Amino acid sequence: MRRGNEIYIVGFAQTPVRKSLEGTFLDLAGRVSIEAIRKSGIPREDIEGILITHEGFGNFVNAQLFAPRLAAHLGIETKLLGTYECGGMSSAGAVKIAATEIMTGRMDTCLIIGVELKPMLLDDPVFDQTSLADRHAGTYGPYESLCGVTGPLPFYAMSQQRWMITHRICPEDIAYLPVLLRRNASGNPMAQFRDPITIDDVLDSRVICPPIRLLECCARSEGAAAVILASKDVTRQLGGKRINIRGFGEAHDATNYFPARGDAARFPCVRRAAHEAYEVAGITPKDLDVVEIYGAFAGTEIMTYEEMGFFERGTAAQAVREGKTAIDGELPVNPSGGRLSLGHPAGATPLLEIIEVCAQLREEAEGRQVNGPQLGLIQAEHGMVNGSVVLIMEGEA
Amino acid sequence: MTVTRSKALWRAIEKNGDKAMAIFFEGLQQRRFLVTRCRSCDTLHFPPRAFCPDCLSEDVEPEEHSGKGEVYSFTTMAQPSSRGNPITVAMVNLEGVEGRVFSRVKLPCEEMTIGMNVEVDYIELDGIVLHCFRPRAKGP
Ligand SMILES: [Zn+2]
């Protein structure tokens, strides 16, 4: 990074992503924390901060004061402790806060944990709250919730509808992406969906919210992940291939879900966050070797590639079709299988993206390894892409 | 049962938003569709506001709108309560108003197009009147 101390990712651990996992929040958070600490080689007493994140929409029991509870459970005395929440990008936001504290020199190490135990999309718990009063107080705003909105899907559908009409994108163009992501996931034992699918499978799957089909949707998943950041001084004493955080960016639009004004098929926050990260790292998208994009729905994922500057506006679907984002393509995107096939435990998703890029840069991603990558990136978002975080990472010998 | 639900709903309306929102839902009960006019910069806004999002003036007042507008985008959505057929929903740009309105539309999704003309209509749900949209012929 240009300003302040260098930051490294020195340890990480995750559970498989599955429809449901054995164990409670504390069980899963404890398990990934201990594994990440062990892998990092940092003595437990040297961990100086703990930040946790949980699913933004869920109102699960015991969310309050969970960070102190976990710190007590792990027996770690800290200089930074808390929960960070801003929808789907939460755990990436937590990583950014931890990185900033290390940059200032205030601390040298931090453990970041994300856990998801509750299904989020397509089977929202709010779905069963049929009284208008319950729905009025819902996540999707008083006006939309009263009209029966119980999940973000209709907003994504209306955004994608505009994009498809403006750029004459046909359903066949979009259907390539879920097939590609499933092929990537077939090499990832952590992924929830590993059986191959075809273009016809995607096109024949049920239209849930026009124009979005079932196989273009992320899965509801459970999962947990932990990442440990450290300063250069601490990292120097550890073995293994070091992953340097080269830069980051963050931007939020003054919108929540569907924008009331402006073009609903554009994600300006993604553009701003990406440009900030590129500038700080001193790179362009052409320099990237491997990327994980949040992409909760196939159409939105392709639109995000364009906002990230990977492809010209209106051309990303064609690029995916031509294999440019495949593992052996010019810019491999979501080798993990992405949200569509790895699965989407929202509270943990940004950490899972970071872990996949770290595994790729360390050339440990057996079964889906990109050829010799040096520079990687992750992007995460919240709402209907109303805000975004971008992190750029580099593998060092 | 309906009475209990409505009470809870009105309590939620009073607690969850700002005062402009309560006035809007009161207006719907009389089948009037209210937007907010900022007297300082003379702009109309939806959703209703207690202050102007453009100039931050608190000199705002509710104003009844014709309910005429055009479809910005649309899709269908499962019905939460009955789990019946999916309903058509849309984002609508109201004439002269900043800020889109989301609601159901009384038209099958196959007959919807972006840019089509619609106007506000009303439905009764759970003992409360809510707004929706219906197609309208082009013209004044
Ligand atoms: Zn004003």
Side-chain angles (χ1 to χ4, degrees):
Chain A
M1 296 282 290
R2 254 191 337 211
R3 301 173 283 253
N5 290 342
E6 293 291 311
I7 318 128
Y8 292 83
I9 299 168
V10 294
F12 50 83
Q14 70 172 93
T15 64
V17 180
R18 298 291 181 258
K19 187 177 180 186
S20 62
L21 289 173
E22 284 283 317
T24 64
F25 199 103
L26 201 58
D27 289 331
L28 297 176
R31 198 207 299 169
V32 291
S33 298
I34 289 165
E35 193 185 332
I37 292 170
R38 195 181 296 134
K39 279 175 158 176
S40 74
I42 295 174
R44 174 179 59 170
E45 57 274 20
D46 288 355
I47 301 287
E48 292 183 309
I50 299 177
L51 288 177
I52 68 162
T53 190
H54 56 75
E55 216 297 285
F57 310 104
N59 44 357
F60 66 88
V61 183
N62 287 340
Q64 292 83 10
L65 289 177
F66 195 84
R69 202 171 151 207
L70 184 62
H73 185 64
L74 294 169
I76 298 175
E77 194 177 279
T78 62
K79 294 161 77 174
L80 171 72
L81 182 65
T83 298
Y84 186 80
E85 194 276 305
C86 189
M89 58 147 266
S90 299
S91 56
V95 166
K96 209 177 131 281
I97 288 168
T100 309
E101 289 249 349
I102 293 172
M103 279 167 76
T104 66
R106 192 182 161 263
M107 60 183 205
D108 284 302
T109 57
C110 190
L111 167 67
I112 302 101
I113 303 137
V115 179
E116 182 65 61
L117 280 174
K118 229 177 188 129
M120 160 188 167
L121 302 177
L122 308 181
D123 193 14
D124 196 299
V126 180
F127 204 88
D128 294 321
Q129 298 177 354
T130 53
S131 96
L132 283 174
D134 288 341
R135 279 193 259 139
H136 187 77
T139 309
Y140 304 98
Y143 298 94
E144 287 80 354
S145 295
L146 260 189
C147 291
V149 175
T150 55
L153 189 54
F155 302 131
Y156 280 97
M158 289 188 288
S159 163
Q160 186 177 322
Q161 190 93 275
R162 298 271 324 177
W163 172 70
M164 289 177 75
I165 288 170
T166 309
H167 297 286
R168 299 172 190 280
I169 309 288
C170 63
E172 289 74 15
D173 293 332
I174 293 169
Y176 275 78
L177 182 62
V179 175
L180 174 67
L181 294 176
R182 186 62 63 89
R183 201 189 309 145
N184 293 353
S186 69
N188 184 359
M190 293 296 180
Q192 188 175 351
F193 299 100
R194 282 153 291 169
D195 295 335
I197 51 172
T198 65
I199 306 277
D200 287 339
D201 290 337
V202 177
L203 292 173
D204 292 343
S205 68
R206 190 162 58 90
V207 176
I208 298 195
C209 234
I212 298 178
R213 292 171 161 78
L214 179 67
L215 288 179
E216 297 165 5
C217 296
C218 61
R220 49 185 190 184
S221 318
E222 295 190 347
V227 163
I228 296 175
L229 302 189
S231 66
K232 193 170 198 164
D233 285 348
V234 170
T235 307
R236 209 176 275 133
Q237 297 154 23
L238 304 168
K241 189 165 182 177
R242 313 184 322 186
I243 307 295
N244 179 223
I245 297 185
R246 281 278 305 269
F248 46 67
E250 177 172 355
H252 304 267
D253 300 328
T255 60
N256 191 23
Y257 294 109
F258 204 88
R261 299 151 103 166
D263 186 347
R266 301 302 307 257
F267 307 134
C269 60
V270 174
R271 263 191 331 268
R272 281 154 55 213
H275 284 148
E276 184 190 346
Y278 296 150
E279 200 191 320
V280 171
I283 67 153
T284 74
K286 297 231 177 312
D287 300 322
L288 294 166
D289 302 311
V290 61
V291 163
E292 282 275 320
I293 293 294
Y294 194 88
F297 301 96
T300 311
E301 180 168 332
I302 296 170
M303 292 157 79
T304 304
Y305 295 175
E306 296 174 357
E307 300 291 4
M308 290 294 298
F310 300 161
F311 305 104
E312 291 290 313
R313 187 83 183 138
T315 66
Q318 186 59 31
V320 172
R321 232 174 143 149
E322 290 164 2
K324 287 182 178 163
T325 62
I327 285 171
D328 59 356
E330 60 187 55
L331 177 59
V333 184
N334 288 344
S336 68
R339 277 16 79 197
L340 267 55
S341 281
L342 172 66
H344 186 24
T349 283
L351 296 184
L352 294 173
E353 295 180 65
I354 291 171
I355 290 172
E356 176 67 17
V357 169
C358 287
Q360 291 286 347
L361 295 175
R362 289 161 60 126
E363 304 198 43
E364 293 168 355
E366 207 187 319
R368 59 188 191 287
Q369 179 64 50
V370 169
N371 187 22
Q374 288 297 309
L375 204 58
L377 171 151
I378 70 112
Q379 176 269 343
E381 70 215 24
H382 66 83
M384 193 204 79
V385 205
N386 305 103
S388 187
V389 172
V390 170
L391 235 75
I392 295 171
M393 290 163 273
E394 184 172 26
E396 291 185 359
Chain B
M1 190 63 195
T2 308
V3 175
T4 324
R5 279 192 180 184
S6 292
K7 256 188 199 163
L9 174 60
W10 283 106
R11 196 164 54 241
I13 288 172
E14 279 160 19
K15 299 280 178 201
N16 287 336
D18 55 16
K19 59 188 176 197
M21 192 176 82
I23 294 170
F24 172 77
F25 283 105
E26 295 284 0
L28 282 186
Q29 303 322 295
Q30 297 146 36
R31 299 180 181 247
R32 297 171 69 221
F33 192 88
L34 301 177
V35 298
T36 302
R37 178 177 295 278
C38 171
R39 281 195 280 218
S40 181
C41 71
D42 202 34
T43 315
L44 293 174
H45 289 283
F46 186 89
R49 301 275 196 159
F51 63 90
C52 173
D54 283 345
C55 73
L56 297 185
S57 167
E58 289 176 87
D59 187 13
V60 296
E61 59 182 356
E63 181 173 307
E64 188 165 1
H65 191 270
S66 69
K68 287 177 184 168
E70 62 176 52
V71 170
Y72 177 75
S73 194
F74 62 91
T75 185
T76 65
M77 197 176 77
Q79 291 186 64
S81 49
S82 66
R83 303 201 178 219
N85 290 330
I87 49 174
T88 307
V89 292
M91 277 287 175
V92 171
N93 287 325
L94 288 181
E95 283 177 0
V97 176
E98 292 290 339
R100 300 180 177 114
V101 186
F102 173 85
S103 198
R104 32 184 106 202
V105 185
K106 292 176 167 174
L107 199 67
C109 190
E110 308 79 68
E111 293 173 39
M112 296 285 292
T113 53
I114 283 178
M116 76 181 292
N117 291 297
V118 291
E119 62 191 346
V120 164
D121 195 1
Y122 299 93
I123 47 165
E124 217 171 304
L125 269 181
D126 247 4
I128 184 176
V129 178
L130 292 176
H131 60 290
C132 63
F133 288 97
R134 65 176 179 216
R136 97 183 134 92
K138 207 167 175 93

